[in-house]
Amino acid sequence: MVVLRRLLYSQRAAPYLFIAPFVITLLAFWLLPLARTFLMSTQEVVFGQAAFIGLDNYQRLWEDRLFWKAMFNSARYMVLTIALLIPIPLVLAALINSKIGSERVKAVFKASMFVPALTSVVVAGIIFRLMFAETGTGLMNQIVGVFGLDPVRWLRIDTGGLIALLALAMWRWTGVNILYFLAGMQAIPEEYYEAATIDGASKLQQFFHITLPNLKPTIVYVTTISVYGGLAMFLESFMLYRGNASPNDQGLTVVGYLYRRGIEQNDPGFASAVGVVLLVVIMTINLTFLTLSGTFKKESAR
């Protein structure tokens, strides 16, 4: 007990005790599973028996056409969500942050935009599946019918399915990104805008020369998590297509392909190789982006 008491009250040991829960959690739920995944990716696992096969799983993955289709689907979804979910929420956040309009209306708008993020993906997927139903009673086909067009088989064609996935992403994450950008804008000193106004700068000039430069850390953060979210997307497509099978695999993502090979086809070794490749791709894209954006230079300069 004396030794334990000395340890608890020791100034040298205190920092290590405070970070111990984080280190233990990191080891138990991230580093150890990651190491196990790397190991399993070099094995053939059959009925619980593992045999070392080297890089054969990666060789099969390189030659698998379906994997590259899944990678293309995920990459396309990632690029388009970034193109939509950064500029649109940024402009909406700027409008909310401006002095135009009623503060009560803005508060209601912010709350209503954040509600979709609290909605279950399962529920949202079912709702959007009904909205994009190929029958004439579907909401989107009713809108199309207003313009005198025939019903569209949205989830049967590649473009229609992509529109449905992007609409779901916009509905769920626009409000979250607005709050990110709004928090960044409200941290910008008001004196910057007052000085710019005295110098005769317009609102548009203030946005491009004050708001955007000071929002760079927020934009970098939102872009980084959007890269991960886009490439790791699975449940939205799974619910929209009522499973992991879609026409011509147009909704198959990398995580969906991992699920297919690891769970549906019981090939955990090959699925682990898919997961390792996905991790490497995400880390490569994000580290390259963070380097080009100067994030690491800022940290080292401090």
Side-chain angles (χ1 to χ4, degrees):
M1 289 295 293
V2 177
V3 176
L4 181 60
R5 182 174 299 176
R6 287 180 179 177
L7 181 64
L8 292 176
Y9 286 94
S10 171
Q11 292 184 354
R12 290 185 177 181
Y16 300 100
L17 292 175
F18 280 116
I19 67 171
F22 168 76
V23 174
I24 295 173
T25 302
L26 182 67
L27 288 172
F29 297 103
W30 202 82
L31 293 180
L32 291 180
L34 183 60
R36 176 59 179 157
T37 301
F38 274 107
L39 176 62
M40 192 179 296
S41 69
T42 62
Q43 298 174 333
E44 182 181 14
V45 183
V46 181
F47 300 111
Q49 301 295 322
F52 180 77
I53 59 174
L55 300 177
D56 286 0
N57 284 326
Y58 294 96
Q59 180 67 29
R60 291 168 54 201
L61 189 63
W62 178 263
E63 298 172 353
D64 195 330
R65 179 195 61 82
L66 196 56
F67 166 74
W68 291 108
K69 182 176 180 60
M71 181 63 74
F72 171 76
N73 291 339
S74 294
R76 178 180 62 174
Y77 175 82
M78 176 200 71
V79 171
L80 292 176
T81 50
I82 290 176
L84 292 172
L85 285 172
I86 290 183
I88 295 176
L90 181 58
V91 172
L92 291 175
L95 292 175
I96 294 173
N97 194 52
S98 67
K99 298 180 180 180
I100 302 173
S102 170
E103 292 299 324
R104 288 187 177 182
V105 174
K106 291 180 181 179
V108 173
F109 179 75
K110 286 189 292 184
S112 62
M113 291 298 291
F114 188 74
V115 168
L118 305 177
T119 306
S120 167
V121 184
V122 175
V123 175
I126 295 174
I127 293 174
F128 272 78
R129 186 200 310 156
L130 296 174
M131 288 173 55
F132 285 88
E134 58 187 66
T135 61
T137 57
L139 176 61
M140 296 306 296
N141 276 334
Q142 289 184 17
I143 295 175
V144 168
V146 173
F147 299 95
L149 301 176
D150 295 330
V152 179
R153 304 181 71 183
W154 295 97
L155 301 182
R156 297 285 181 177
I157 57 177
D158 183 56
T159 304
L162 180 61
I163 291 173
L165 285 173
L166 293 175
L168 177 54
M170 286 289 295
W171 180 77
R172 291 200 73 220
W173 300 117
T174 298
V176 176
N177 287 357
I178 286 176
L179 293 184
Y180 283 140
F181 291 129
L182 195 58
M185 290 176 185
Q186 292 178 350
I188 301 174
E190 189 66 28
E191 290 80 5
Y192 293 175
Y193 296 101
E194 293 175 356
T197 302
I198 294 174
D199 290 338
S202 64
K203 294 295 183 182
L204 192 60
Q205 290 175 323
Q206 293 178 24
F207 177 78
F208 282 105
H209 295 285
I210 297 178
T211 304
L212 284 184
N214 285 278
L215 272 183
K216 183 179 177 181
T218 306
I219 295 174
V220 169
Y221 171 75
V222 173
T223 303
T224 303
I225 62 174
S226 297
V227 169
Y228 165 76
L231 289 177
M233 187 272 290
F234 166 64
L235 191 54
E236 289 88 342
S237 177
F238 189 88
M239 293 307 304
L240 200 63
Y241 288 101
R242 296 185 182 182
N244 203 27
S246 55
N248 298 319
D249 290 310
Q250 65 187 32
L252 182 66
T253 64
V254 178
V255 179
Y257 181 70
L258 185 154
Y259 178 84
R260 177 180 295 182
R261 298 305 299 262
I263 304 299
E264 297 176 350
Q265 299 179 4
N266 194 26
D267 191 355
F270 188 83
S272 296
V274 177
V276 170
V277 171
L278 178 60
L279 174 64
V280 171
V281 170
I282 292 175
M283 292 296 293
T284 301
I285 294 174
N286 276 335
L287 289 176
T288 302
F289 172 70
L290 291 173
T291 302
L292 294 176
S293 65
T295 301
F296 298 128
K297 290 182 180 179
K298 285 185 177 181
E299 292 296 330
S300 61
R302 291 177 184 175

